[in-house]
Amino acid sequence: MSQRPLMMSDKTDGPGQDTSLLTKPKSKTERPPLYKVMLLNDDYTPMEFVVHVLERFFGLNHAQAFDIMLTVHKKGLAVVGVFSFEVAETKVAQVMDFARRHQHPLQCTMEKE
């Protein structure tokens, strides 16, 4: 007589056979913190360059970029976007690198929202 392997469907729930699964209570997953990316005003970076940076690295249209550039110019800084840590860090690095390559002292920073 050959024996076939015991299959899950063959098990019977009898006394002493607990087939229920142990489950952990669902923990609520929290959203990762977001970071504000900001441009800081200086007296040397041309306004046109700042507008170009906002269009190129933040996907803004010309009118949006111009408005934010004016805010930076008048108030000393402006938030240009809110992103996850990795995206914010990348945007800051891209802007800073681009500004240095074009010999402008433009500053871009990030802080936790």
Side-chain angles (χ1 to χ4, degrees), residues 18-80:
D18 186 9
T19 59
S20 64
L21 296 175
L22 294 176
T23 57
K24 288 184 181 178
K26 276 194 175 181
S27 61
K28 194 165 194 162
T29 50
E30 292 182 22
R31 289 185 174 264
L34 295 176
Y35 291 79
K36 299 184 287 190
V37 175
M38 298 169 290
L39 283 183
L40 307 177
N41 188 43
D42 64 72
D43 294 332
Y44 303 100
T45 304
M47 292 179 176
E48 299 81 22
F49 184 79
V50 175
V51 170
H52 178 70
V53 163
L54 291 166
E55 291 171 344
R56 178 173 179 164
F57 296 106
F58 297 94
L60 302 176
N61 66 37
H62 188 75
Q64 292 168 322
F66 190 82
D67 286 345
I68 290 176
M69 176 276 298
L70 283 179
T71 301
V72 171
H73 181 69
K74 291 176 184 175
K75 295 189 176 182
L77 69 94
V79 174
V80 296

Side-chain angles (χ1 to χ4, degrees), residues 1-6:
M1 174 175 190
S2 71
Q3 286 189 328
R4 69 180 178 88
L6 185 62

